[in-house]
Every structure is written in C-alpha cells, then in structure tokens.
Amino acid sequence: MSVVPRSWMQLRFAAGTYRFRESLFGLPALIVLAGAVVAEVSGYIDRMVGPFSWGLKMNSNAAVWLLSTVAGATITTAGVVFSLTVVSLQLASSQFSPRVMRSFIRDRFSQTVIGMLVATFVYCVLTLRHIGADEAAPAPTISTTLAVVLAVATVVLIIAYLNRLAHGLQVGEVVRSIASEAEKVISDTGRSAHREIRAEQVPEPDFDDGATVYAPRDGWVTQAPADLVLAVVPAGTVVRLETRPGAYIHRGEPLLRVHPTPERAATLRRLESAVEISNARTMQEDVDFALRQLVDIALRALSQAINDPTTATEVVLRLGSLLRTLLITDSPAPVIAGPENRILLRPWILSPEEYIEHAFEQIRQAGSAQLHVATALARVLRMLLDYVSEHDRTEYVPALEHQLRLLVDAVVDRPEFHPEDVERFRAVAESSTDPAEHRLS
C-alpha cells in the first residue's frame, strides 16, 4: 500500500490545532469575538428592521438596567470560574501528577464556559451603545432578548461546569480521560503503521559520508511523520531518524542523518522542518506519554505522603486495558520504504516490549510493598499473557513473564508478609482463571 505524503503545511496545521486545543485562551477568545460580532449584528438589525412584535418589550431605562446587571454579574462570575479552574489545576497537580494538568486545560467544556461568560459581558457592554438616551423610548427588541438568552445560557453552563468539575477531579475520571486519549493515539498510530511499507532489507550506508541535520532548538519531539520525511529527500536516499516522538532533544544534537548528501541545501532545511519540536511533551504521536502519566499517578498514590493503594490498583487496571489494545495493534516499523528507493531508518522507536516495561516496571518496584497492588498487577499480567496468546502475539510473552517473575520474587522476598498471604498471592500469580478478587479454592 502506498503512502500519501503530507505537506509541511499540514504538519504545521496539525501542530497548531493541537496547541489550540491545549490553550485556555484560543477557544474563549473566539467565543468572545463571536459575542462582539453578534452584538453589532443584532444592533444593526434592530436599527434597520425593528421594532418587532415578538421578543422582550421594555423601555430604554429598563434595558440599560438589565444589560448593566448582566454585564456585572457575568464578569464577576467569570472571575469565580477562573479561580475554580486554577484550584482544580492545583489539586490535579498535587494529588495526581503535574503532567495530568493538560487534561484539565484542554477540556473543551471548561474553555467554552469561560468564553461564554466573557462573551456575554462583551455583548452586554457593546449593546449598551445601541440604547437611546430617551428613557421612555422602546429598547431594541432583538438585542435585549439575546441578552436574556445569553444570561440564562451562561447560568445553565455554570451549573453544568460545576457538575463536570466535581466529577472530573475524581481519580477514576482522570485516568479514564488519559486512557481514552491514548486509545485514539494507538488507533491513529496503528492506521499509520498499516499504511507504511516495511523494507525487506535493512541498508547499512556509511552516514559519515553523508549529511547530518541538527536539532535547531531544545524541546520535545512531538511529530516525525515518515511520509513527510521521505517526501522531501531525493530518490535513492537513506534517512536515519536519530530520535523519536516523545524524546527530549538538545539543540545541536543530531536530528537526522542522510546518505548520500543531497545536492540542494534546501533539502536539509526541509528535513529539519519535517520534525516538530515543542516546548511541552504532547500525546500526538506518543502513547508512551499516556503511560507516563498513569504511572506517575500510581507512584504518587503509593508514596508515603498519600498512601492510597486503591488508586494505584485502578491505574494498574487501566494500564491493562491500554496494553490489551496496544499489544495487538500494528507497531511502526523500524525500517520503512518509500517511493523511488527512499528508505527511512527509525532505530529508536519504542517496541511493544519497552511499552510493557514502561507501564509496569516502576509500579512493580513501588507496589511490591503493597500486597493488594501487587495482586492486582499479577492479575493484569496474567490476563495480558492469555490475551496475547489468544491473538497470536506470543512474541510479547517473554516480556510479560519477565515482569510477572520479578513481581513474584519481590513479594516472596519481603519478610513482613504472612506466609498465607504470600501463598495466596502466588496462587493468583500462577493462575489464569482468577479474573476477580476472590479466594481461589
């Protein structure tokens, strides 16, 4: 199957869209702009077409009072909503992990509520300009009716926002939202991997005789689309990506190596632009970042300061769900072929075995002291062993068995556990028929 190359503009558009999604300014600013436009349009219609027989009927004095009251109330409430948002970010950072703050920042509903509050304020302030000086004169019908509609809508949104905030701060919802986003990344990555053409032979050119593209700045590699990299180099070129999405790179480090050296210097500049480097790590092509966030939540829960093994257990279960999808989805190939004998080498992309290690290793090390967490981890590893075997992905069995063996050894070596508790744990770890928390017969 051929690869349809993306353009540099598409890459930049995707990166810009992602940054827009993770901004507390972008969407609210657009909504505020829309409020200003609606205020001017409604005022123009009232002047050109009105008065209307429907809508709210009031004099100019009542309209001024109404608009002033709504404007004052909404801008005050906007401050309260901003404060609640900041408090929720602080709670998420301290209770879960600083890396989960992005889940709250990028929440569309929160951004919409903030934008609607400020937009209602702007609408009312601008509409006051259209109210005549005669206090007894009729007020603009459409403008005043829309002001009341916006006021009621913002009240409903505030109630819904408080409900969403209360549910969103629950640890189950936090880990669910991270896992849900990761599922989409895995699906997108799988589709991209399915479209790629795996090279049958791995070339070994001498890159010392080629050219090197260096990182132009410090930051996290967020996108490195293979189709775009292959599209910008001449036919017969071999490119080696010296990093991967999700890795941090320092300015001046090798980013890509090319063989042979392109005749045009512009090719190297286009290659540099084909790899997106951002100030913050994102989940655009980096499912490992989702694992990192979930593991951070579990480690924070297992710390002495918090000591919440139930949260760690819930994270382990979510990790099991993610790995079920990840381990049966096509992984990006380390060597892919493009048109006209172009080859891309990606020696540093993470393998499924490394994802298994990243998902469970630190939790295994910290959770072996909590028998409840260790038992849940053993159940998940046993479940994954059965699952990959059923789907003919037995190449991942050694990595899962390695984690399970280390877990059993760590628990058995702890002298503080009662022998009966240890025996029950071993029974769970060695049984493939224990899907729930019950005592084996």
Side-chain angles (χ1 to χ4, degrees):
M1 186 177 294
S2 61
V3 178
V4 180
R6 287 173 283 183
S7 67
W8 181 87
M9 290 301 297
Q10 288 175 312
L11 177 67
R12 289 293 176 266
F13 177 78
T17 303
Y18 200 88
R19 285 193 293 268
F20 177 83
R21 176 68 185 269
E22 296 199 342
S23 171
L24 274 176
F25 175 80
L27 182 60
L30 289 180
I31 297 175
V32 170
L33 179 61
V37 172
V38 171
E40 296 304 315
V41 170
S42 62
Y44 176 81
I45 295 176
D46 275 323
R47 290 194 304 271
M48 296 294 103
V49 183
F52 296 93
S53 59
W54 50 268
L56 294 177
K57 305 294 183 180
M58 62 182 71
N59 56 35
S60 296
N61 183 51
V64 169
W65 176 84
L66 173 66
L67 294 172
S68 301
T69 302
V70 172
T74 52
I75 198 62
T76 302
T77 308
V80 174
V81 171
F82 275 117
S83 300
L84 289 174
T85 303
V86 171
V87 169
S88 66
L89 293 177
Q90 291 176 336
L91 288 174
S93 177
S94 60
Q95 184 175 354
F96 305 124
S97 167
R99 277 154 291 281
V100 306
M101 290 175 59
R102 56 182 296 278
S103 299
F104 292 86
I105 295 174
R106 73 195 311 266
D107 182 57
R108 285 290 198 205
F109 191 81
S110 300
Q111 296 174 6
T112 301
V113 172
I114 293 172
M116 281 294 296
L117 284 168
V118 181
T120 302
F121 166 78
V122 171
Y123 175 87
C124 292
V125 170
L126 293 180
T127 302
L128 283 171
R129 299 167 43 245
H130 305 307
I131 306 298
D134 186 1
E135 296 183 355
T141 306
I142 291 182
S143 297
T144 53
T145 302
L146 282 178
V148 174
V149 171
L150 288 174
V152 174
T154 52
V155 170
V156 174
L157 284 175
I158 291 169
I159 297 173
Y161 172 75
L162 294 175
N163 177 72
R164 187 182 183 88
L165 187 62
H167 288 284
L169 287 174
Q170 298 178 24
V171 64
E173 180 61 23
V174 173
V175 297
R176 186 209 61 79
S177 63
I178 296 172
S180 177
E181 185 180 359
E183 292 275 0
K184 297 177 182 178
V185 177
I186 294 172
S187 178
D188 294 341
T189 303
R191 285 194 295 268
S192 298
H194 183 69
R195 291 195 300 265
E196 294 173 350
I197 303 174
R198 296 174 181 253
E200 297 181 358
Q201 296 182 348
V202 180
E204 297 181 357
D206 185 3
F207 287 101
D208 292 336
D209 294 336
T212 301
V213 178
Y214 296 96
R217 56 188 172 274
D218 300 324
W220 297 91
V221 178
T222 56
Q223 291 187 92
D227 49 1
L228 183 55
V229 171
L230 292 174
V232 301
V233 296
T237 301
V238 179
V239 182
R240 188 171 72 189
L241 182 64
E242 299 293 350
T243 183
R244 61 172 176 82
Y248 187 88
I249 193 167
H250 299 88
R251 182 177 57 186
E253 282 190 312
L255 185 64
L256 302 114
R257 299 189 191 274
V258 187
H259 184 276
T261 302
E263 296 181 358
R264 301 175 57 189
T267 301
L268 298 180
R269 293 194 296 270
R270 294 174 66 189
L271 274 175
E272 177 187 297
S273 301
V275 180
E276 179 73 17
I277 300 176
S278 301
N279 293 328
R281 191 176 180 182
T282 69
M283 216 187 295
Q284 287 173 274
E285 296 180 1
D286 181 19
V287 69
D288 191 54
F289 187 38
L291 301 180
R292 179 71 267 164
Q293 293 177 73
L294 293 174
V295 170
D296 282 350
I297 295 174
L299 295 179
R300 183 69 63 92
L302 291 171
S303 65
Q304 294 182 354
I306 297 180
N307 192 23
D308 183 8
T310 303
T311 292
T313 299
E314 186 163 355
V315 171
V316 168
L317 298 175
R318 285 289 181 182
L319 285 170
S321 298
L322 269 184
L323 266 295
R324 280 174 67 93
T325 303
L326 182 61
L327 295 181
I328 65 169
T329 302
D330 291 335
S331 302
V335 183
I336 62 173
E340 299 180 307
N341 295 322
R342 297 178 176 91
I343 299 293
L344 174 62
L345 308 178
R346 298 182 294 190
W348 304 112
I349 59 174
L350 294 175
S351 64
E353 291 83 358
E354 289 174 305
Y355 285 128
I356 294 173
E357 179 182 332
H358 292 181
F360 298 123
E361 185 170 54
Q362 286 186 289
I363 299 178
R364 170 180 56 76
Q365 294 167 350
S368 60
Q370 294 279 355
L371 200 54
H372 181 71
V373 177
T375 303
L377 183 54
R379 285 191 172 100
V380 167
L381 289 170
R382 290 296 318 180
M383 175 272 295
L384 290 174
L385 281 167
D386 295 338
Y387 189 72
V388 297
S389 299
E390 292 172 0
H391 289 79
D392 296 325
R393 298 297 179 106
T394 54
E395 63 270 24
Y396 307 139
V397 167
L400 293 167
E401 288 182 338
H402 177 69
Q403 292 294 326
L404 184 58
R405 178 180 59 80
L406 292 179
L407 177 65
V408 172
D409 291 345
V411 172
V412 171
D413 290 343
R414 286 192 169 272
E416 66 269 23
F417 293 149
H418 193 279
E420 290 187 6
D421 292 330
V422 174
E423 285 305 313
R424 185 190 177 205
F425 167 78
R426 291 179 66 97
V428 171
E430 296 169 0
S431 171
S432 60
T433 59
D434 180 31
E437 296 184 9
H438 61 84
R439 187 173 296 277
L440 293 171
S441 57

